[in-house]
Amino acid sequence: MLSPNPIPTQTLHHSVLTEKKVKLAVLRLDLVHEEVSGNKFFKLKYNLEEAKKLGKTTLLSFGGAFSNHILALSAAAKVSGMKSIGIIRGEESSKTNPTLSQAEENGMSLHFVSREEYRRKTESDFILALEKTYGDFFLIPEGGTNAFAIQGTQEILDERHAPFSHVATSIGTGGTFAGLSTRILKNQILLGFPALKGPWIKEEIQHLLESESIQPKGQYKLIEDYNFGGYAKWKPELIEYIRWFWREFNIPLDPIYTGKMAFGIWDLIKRDFFPPDSNIFMIHTGGLQGNAGFIEQTGQKLY
Ligand SMILES: *Cc1c(COP(=O)(O)O)cnc(C)c1O
């Protein structure tokens, strides 16, 4: 079973916050579990329960070569005594990167496919072919977003979060944002910072909320100005900011998701986006496992 560690909330202290009269606290989901980190813990929780209920012994999912979801899935399967299969976009040579070597160490079988094949990941004949190869499995979509994931991410917020005026999260597929949106209160604003670039993100989120019949009580808003050019794209100022954040607050961030959100929140604070007396709750969705691979690939130091 997946059992969570207590999740600390860390209040930040800085002269900019005092000057702008806003409060900022970080929910450290990165500490929820040693191996199944961040929002992926919550996204996988009910998927694993469902798989067990159905008597499945193998989990299968999709991801890129540095995927937080793939590594979390491999660890969750290991902890739960299940088998796991990762269908990975890219070359077999990425097997030795820190993410995939750890996934393999967790017992995951890796299966590499070309970009063209990977695009077929939701097609039924592609899935059937995988079943022919691997036998029966419980399928979890890329990024882990489905109704079970949304059920799990709802549990990130509870009554302790009532005092906050704004709740902020990073967005990939939007599953976490959808889960959080079910819990925000009438007077709260949920802010989502997409880590990807594209006009379709808004529609996809809207579609997700509709298909899950979610009608948030509070407001929600996507802030698309901080994707740094797209998924896994970055600029030196982002890296500088992540280093600064670590020195200042002793909180590690990642350049794919949490760093972009934190950069955005800080920039918005400086630009007076948040009215005085705002109380911001920033959700640290984890993703730190990817930092080793990022540092290896780019030579950029993050801490
Ligand atoms: C997967 C991930 C996200 C995106 O979550 P979605 O539910 O897909 O929007 C955000 N932050 C981190 C660190 C992640 O690993």
Side-chain angles (χ1 to χ4, degrees), residues 1-302:
M1 253 335 282
L2 280 184
S3 51
N5 294 326
I7 302 168
T9 296
Q10 200 168 333
T11 302
L12 306 190
H13 301 282
H14 193 274
S15 56
V16 167
L17 301 172
T18 321
E19 185 192 318
K20 299 291 185 184
K21 299 191 172 58
V22 303
K23 289 185 190 158
L24 179 59
V26 182
L27 182 69
R28 299 287 308 271
L29 296 189
D30 56 310
L31 301 174
V32 65
H33 192 277
E34 281 71 19
E35 292 180 87
V36 189
S37 177
N39 61 342
K40 300 307 185 287
F41 178 94
F42 295 89
K43 296 183 80 169
L44 288 168
K45 180 179 166 184
Y46 290 107
N47 273 297
L48 262 77
E49 283 192 13
E50 182 66 12
K52 288 215 161 157
K53 229 182 266 172
L54 297 173
K56 307 273 185 177
T57 54
T58 303
L59 305 170
L60 179 142
S61 195
F62 306 89
F66 295 95
S67 167
N68 296 328
H69 165 66
I70 284 292
L71 183 61
L73 181 80
S74 71
K78 181 185 75 175
V79 172
S80 316
M82 299 180 84
K83 294 195 199 99
S84 64
I85 299 164
I87 309 298
I88 310 299
R89 181 187 58 226
E91 301 293 324
E92 181 113 21
S93 57
S94 57
K95 220 174 184 156
T96 52
N97 84 32
T99 301
L100 294 183
S101 53
Q102 185 60 52
E104 212 167 33
E105 214 167 284
N106 290 341
M108 179 176 257
S109 310
L110 300 174
H111 178 100
F112 292 85
V113 297
S114 67
R115 285 180 179 270
E116 291 70 43
E117 265 186 288
Y118 191 84
R119 256 183 241 127
R120 299 180 55 217
K121 61 189 177 291
T122 56
E123 292 174 17
S124 51
D125 53 341
F126 185 64
I127 310 287
L128 268 174
L130 288 173
E131 274 170 355
K132 278 219 181 91
T133 312
Y134 292 108
D136 191 35
F137 51 73
F138 184 79
L139 185 136
I140 301 178
E142 178 186 45
T145 290
N146 57 14
F148 299 113
I150 292 175
Q151 184 187 353
T153 53
Q154 289 179 5
E155 295 180 1
I156 293 170
L157 294 181
D158 58 32
E159 65 283 358
R160 281 178 305 165
H161 312 122
F164 293 95
S165 59
H166 297 75
V167 175
T169 186
S170 171
I171 290 183
T173 62
T176 305
F177 185 82
L180 296 172
S181 76
T182 68
R183 289 292 170 98
I184 52 160
L185 305 171
K186 211 171 74 204
N187 53 354
Q188 292 181 322
I189 304 174
L190 176 63
L191 300 175
F193 293 80
L196 304 80
K197 186 176 167 177
W200 40 269
I201 295 170
K202 224 174 216 153
E203 284 161 41
E204 216 165 87
I205 300 274
Q206 204 55 43
H207 181 74
L208 197 56
L209 296 185
E210 276 163 26
S211 64
E212 299 297 322
S213 309
I214 298 169
Q215 287 171 327
K217 286 199 202 75
Q219 293 176 51
Y220 59 94
K221 191 175 165 61
L222 296 194
I223 298 183
E224 302 181 78
D225 307 328
Y226 300 99
N227 60 47
F228 287 88
Y231 186 71
K233 301 259 169 49
W234 55 276
K235 296 194 172 104
E237 63 201 280
L238 175 65
I239 307 302
E240 279 299 318
Y241 181 79
I242 290 171
R243 286 194 205 131
W244 174 83
F245 201 87
W246 168 249
R247 286 197 307 272
E248 202 68 33
F249 306 119
N250 233 317
I251 300 177
L253 299 171
D254 80 289
I256 315 293
Y257 293 105
T258 58
K260 292 181 180 179
M261 167 194 60
F263 184 102
I265 292 172
W266 199 258
D267 193 52
L268 291 173
I269 290 171
K270 290 202 284 197
R271 291 168 186 270
D272 299 313
F273 170 90
F274 296 100
D277 299 325
S278 290
N279 194 358
I280 308 158
F281 196 45
M282 170 165 128
I283 298 182
H284 189 316
T285 44
L288 301 175
Q289 70 82 21
N291 284 0
F294 182 86
I295 293 166
E296 200 176 275
Q297 278 219 316
T298 63
Q300 298 288 323
K301 284 209 185 84
L302 297 174

